Amino acid sequence: MKERALVGEMSDPGRLVLLGAPLGNPADASARFRDVLATADVVAAEDTRRLNRLARDLAVSVPGRIVSYFEGNEERRTPELVEVLTAGYTVALVTDGGMPSVSDPGYRLVRAALDAGVPVTAAPGPSAVTTALALSGLPCDRFCFEGFLPRTPGSRRARLRTLAAEERTLVLFEAPHRVADALADLAAAFGTDRPAALCRELTKTYEEIVRRPLGELADWAAENEPRGEITLVVAGAPARPAERPDDDTLRAAVAAREAAGLSRRDAITEVATEYALRRRDVYTITHT
């Protein structure tokens, strides 16, 4: 670990910079990523060896002090880094790939820095979430990110039951040794025909995108035992038509729209569309 003494307090707080790191290909590192690495007083890295290797690949010298910051030590190290920040120094936070805090260490430090009045900014970079979403071939206009599913089968299945009716495209991270079981549970909860994609080793030499219905994808994973960093993308549930209200409610809905200025014809059309009913049926109900 590189050591550089940080002595003397400055009048203003420093700043915390979140660095979006390449998912695998060093060429994806931004110019700002390189600049921050070369100028930060402290670089907190999820894996210091990976950081040093990345710096060598980028031909970037890191003169600042490099410290480890990972799940096992972030509770202890966070106050130390906040002390450095409040003394006026710049701390860069980098994880093994993607943006810190997003299913990676970082949230605890971000929250502590903000509570201490320290500015927090970012040098944005690659994201496994949006990269997998864009490559999946599934709708991207609305999506939700669920991170890692629970590790135990019972908790995982319970979580999936709550997500089965979600209409937005779903993005998940999963460990290779659990992905086959997770896909089998997804197929059971969402249906075997729900479109999905398994994205493996994004931007790396052995990048692979497998796009199949959940049932087929679960069988493929069980047979092939995929390895590496895995992101799953699953199509949202089909939109459910609104429940048909009783006739009095339909009449009141049409009357409310007329009172708001719509013509009787437009009011009937709007109510019929909202509840997936035939316009003729709504017309008949409002005239009886």
Side-chain angles (χ1 to χ4, degrees):
M1 179 174 70
K2 293 185 179 181
E3 296 289 348
R4 189 177 75 176
L6 301 177
V7 296
E9 293 207 3
M10 301 181 184
S11 58
D12 297 319
R15 63 173 184 157
L16 174 63
V17 186
L18 308 180
L19 297 183
L23 302 177
N25 191 327
D28 292 333
S30 70
R32 284 189 63 205
F33 181 95
R34 299 164 189 255
D35 289 344
V36 174
L37 275 188
T39 58
D41 298 297
V42 175
V43 179
E46 184 177 10
D47 185 326
T48 58
R49 291 171 300 180
R50 290 185 66 164
L51 172 65
N52 284 321
R53 184 166 61 248
L54 177 60
R56 287 196 301 271
D57 289 340
L58 298 175
V60 173
S61 175
V62 184
R65 182 159 62 98
I66 299 176
V67 300
S68 64
Y69 189 82
F70 59 97
E71 184 178 0
N73 75 352
E74 60 177 329
E75 183 174 0
R76 170 177 58 84
R77 182 136 284 166
T78 293
E80 300 172 6
L81 292 173
V82 170
E83 185 177 355
V84 171
L85 288 163
T86 55
Y89 297 96
T90 295
V91 174
L93 178 61
V94 58
T95 54
D96 292 345
M99 182 61 69
S101 292
V102 182
S103 287
D104 275 337
Y107 171 75
R108 190 189 300 268
L109 181 56
V110 169
R111 187 66 262 165
L114 293 173
D115 290 343
V118 173
V120 179
T121 187
S127 164
V129 177
T130 53
T131 301
L133 182 67
L135 293 176
S136 69
L138 298 173
C140 301
D141 54 333
R142 297 174 64 240
F143 72 94
C144 61
F145 173 57
E146 280 289 317
F148 284 94
L149 290 171
R151 297 183 180 185
T152 61
S155 297
R156 181 172 62 236
R157 291 164 189 160
R159 173 75 61 81
L160 292 176
R161 284 194 293 270
T162 69
L163 295 172
E166 172 59 61
E167 295 179 7
R168 293 171 295 178
T169 299
L170 185 67
V171 184
L172 302 159
F173 290 160
E174 193 50 274
H177 63 280
R178 290 194 299 267
V179 70
D181 289 340
L183 283 166
D185 288 342
L186 277 160
F190 292 7
T192 57
D193 293 334
R194 183 82 70 90
L198 183 151
C199 305
R200 187 179 75 85
E201 295 289 86
L202 291 170
T203 78
K204 301 177 184 177
T205 302
Y206 298 105
E207 176 180 282
E208 183 177 25
I209 316 294
V210 183
R211 305 173 184 86
R212 300 184 184 182
L214 276 174
E216 294 181 23
L217 195 57
D219 291 341
W220 178 89
E223 180 178 348
N224 290 275
E225 300 181 353
R227 294 286 181 262
E229 301 277 345
I230 293 174
T231 304
L232 300 175
V233 187
V234 184
R240 294 176 298 176
E243 183 179 353
R244 185 196 187 285
D246 59 37
D247 290 356
D248 288 340
T249 300
L250 288 173
R251 293 189 190 99
V254 172
R257 285 164 172 76
E258 286 187 273
L262 289 182
S263 67
R264 169 66 64 88
R265 177 186 179 87
D266 289 343
I268 289 173
T269 299
E270 193 170 288
V271 170
T273 301
E274 178 178 353
Y275 294 105
L277 300 172
R278 294 187 301 177
R279 184 183 178 283
R280 182 174 60 187
D281 292 341
V282 177
Y283 176 87
T284 301
I285 290 167
T286 57
H287 286 81
T288 55

